[in-house]
Amino acid sequence: MKRFLAMAGLLAGLLAPWWSSAAAVDGITTADAIAIHEAVQSQLDALAKDDAASAFEQATPEKRMLIGSPDNFLRLMKEQYNPIYRHQRVIFSHPEVVDGDAIQVVRVTDSESRVWLAIFWMQQEEDSSWKIDGCQLVETTSVSI
């Protein structure tokens, strides 16, 4: 229910422009925003190269334990997150905090020019690094030009 409410809040917030200021957003510092962007971008880059180990490393330890292995992770991405796995283009919004959760929304254009919102739940680890704790894909009615 918590994630549903977070997603509803995000979708309502999508009416705001994508190009808002780069200052700290809802308690996320500029440094954290950069680190969150880099974590998600690193996973996207690794997936583009079929580098399962590097993509898997961007997930939280809990998610890695649940998934089991880099090979399982890559299979999951291919089967359930194909728009992310084989994206053409991505546009990042600024990360924000919704109900105490750090969220990174990425607009993803898939190989068929359909547009999706990938909502990444982020978690800051004890070493201050940011890891991906889950993702939800929401298909839009938009088509990329």
Side-chain angles (χ1 to χ4, degrees), residues 73-135:
F73 179 76
L74 191 60
R75 185 173 30 261
L76 175 71
M77 295 305 294
K78 288 178 181 179
E79 292 172 1
Q80 295 182 20
Y81 297 90
N82 198 270
I84 294 172
Y85 173 65
R86 284 297 178 244
H87 63 278
Q88 286 183 358
R89 175 177 315 111
V90 295
I91 299 172
F92 283 76
S93 68
H94 294 286
E96 56 188 291
V97 176
V98 176
D99 291 335
D101 292 324
I103 307 288
Q104 173 66 71
V105 177
V106 181
R107 186 175 148 194
V108 178
T109 303
D110 69 14
S111 60
E112 297 175 10
S113 296
R114 292 180 302 190
V115 178
W116 301 75
L117 295 179
I119 304 166
F120 290 89
W121 274 266
M122 305 300 296
Q123 179 176 300
Q124 192 168 29
E125 301 298 303
E126 288 182 16
D127 66 359
S128 296
S129 66
W130 285 91
K131 298 292 184 181
I132 300 168
D133 194 45
C135 180

